[in-house]
Amino acid sequence: MSTVLYITSNPKSEKDSYSLKVGREFLNVYKVKNPGDSLFEIDTFKAGIPIIDKDVLKGWNRLISGTSFAMLTMEEQQKIKRIEKFTEQFIAADKYIFVTPMWNFTVPSMMKSYIDTMCIVNKTFKYTENGPEGLLIGKKAVHIQASGGVYSQGPAKDFEMGNKYIKNICRFLGINLAQSIFIEGIQADPNKTDEILNAAIVLAVKTAEVF
Ligand SMILES: Cc1cc2nc3c(=O)[nH]c(=O)nc-3n(C[C@H](O)[C@H](O)[C@H](O)COP(=O)(O)O)c2cc1C
């Protein structure tokens, strides 16, 4: 039995978003195949994820220099606790489904804030003599990304930083990114919209069956 996090980052409703549509298809198939799993949905636009601000940095630094948690200011305590809640939930999971639109070549800033709660030294990675080492070995992920343009091939390939970012973060933490599913070029040619969406759904269903 696995614990699965379905992590989205989109202010749109499912009916208006290609990535959320494909994500939901993935999830529906996954649920049928794995009825005993625990599934949690995190909408990063609604989850109230704290950003790493002055309070968080000051609080972390004070903890490192030996100050007890109780001696931190209320703001520092609350924000750090809230970040820890997301980190612990992430560590407790076995599988992750990231669903994002491409915004300005990468993921929306709310997903970036969420990723900042995933990358915590000595919890999800550690420094060793040989450099940083991920601590989430054995866990796996899928990334579903919708973009107006095409990036998996062609002249814009180098501009793609959304999937590349998720891929590298997973690698950094020791997570196996088992599959990336792109819904790309969907706005470039309206005649191809259905074809592109359906191909992504087929791949999502196939991936969900074995994830
Ligand atoms: C703020 C914003 C920035 C965008 N930036 C890009 C971009 O850099 N490259 C691109 O191909 N499409 C871009 N798009 C188009 C979206 O990637 C496209 O509409 C996609 O379908 C969004 O995913 P969704 O349908 O799941 O919301 C952008 C859209 C918005 C709203």
Side-chain angles (χ1 to χ4, degrees):
M1 238 83 97
S2 298
T3 299
V4 184
L5 298 187
Y6 180 74
I7 308 151
T8 61
S9 196
N10 204 322
K12 291 182 193 170
S13 68
E14 259 172 34
K15 73 173 177 37
D16 296 322
S17 154
Y18 296 109
S19 58
L20 291 177
K21 269 195 194 97
V22 175
R24 186 57 60 187
E25 294 282 347
F26 182 102
L27 212 52
N28 289 342
V29 173
Y30 184 85
K31 279 186 199 166
V32 171
K33 284 271 168 189
N34 304 277
D37 281 9
S38 303
L39 227 145
F40 299 94
E41 298 193 21
I42 301 169
D43 177 341
T44 57
F45 269 83
K46 292 186 181 153
I49 297 159
I51 55 164
I52 300 176
D53 64 4
K54 203 171 168 183
D55 292 324
V56 173
L57 284 182
K58 255 177 79 184
W60 277 345
N61 282 334
R62 291 177 71 196
L63 289 173
I64 289 166
S65 53
T67 306
S68 72
F69 189 79
M71 292 306 290
L72 302 186
T73 65
M74 238 356 153
E75 286 78 13
E76 289 166 359
Q77 287 191 24
Q78 281 169 356
K79 289 177 188 179
I80 288 174
K81 251 198 204 145
R82 189 123 184 84
I83 287 176
E84 275 174 6
K85 207 183 125 231
F86 286 106
T87 314
E88 299 306 332
Q89 183 190 37
F90 195 79
I91 292 169
D94 307 291
K95 301 178 189 179
Y96 315 96
I97 305 152
F98 296 98
V99 184
T100 55
M102 178 188 275
W103 281 4
N104 301 314
F105 309 112
T106 186
V107 297
S109 54
M110 302 311 285
M111 182 59 90
K112 172 66 171 67
S113 296
Y114 181 77
I115 288 171
D116 286 342
T117 73
M118 285 162 46
C119 300
I120 305 291
V121 68
N122 294 332
K123 287 195 173 182
T124 57
F125 74 96
K126 65 177 178 184
Y127 292 108
T128 73
E129 279 175 2
N130 305 317
E133 216 172 76
L135 296 174
L136 303 183
I137 309 288
K139 300 175 192 276
K140 61 179 177 175
V142 162
H143 180 213
I144 298 168
Q145 174 177 275
S147 59
V150 173
Y151 298 86
S152 64
Q153 55 183 354
K157 202 172 173 189
D158 284 352
F159 285 80
E160 200 293 311
M161 292 176 285
N163 177 253
K164 207 175 279 171
Y165 182 48
I166 299 276
K167 198 191 283 176
N168 279 328
I169 289 289
C170 284
R171 194 172 158 196
F172 178 65
L173 300 180
I175 300 165
N176 167 30
L177 181 67
Q179 182 74 52
S180 297
I181 300 170
F182 301 107
I183 310 126
E184 55 175 6
I186 206 137
Q187 274 122 8
D189 182 354
N191 294 323
K192 287 199 171 158
T193 302
D194 287 349
E195 188 189 319
I196 293 168
L197 182 62
N198 289 336
I201 289 174
V202 168
L203 181 56
V205 168
K206 214 171 115 193
T207 307
E209 281 171 350
V210 295
F211 185 59

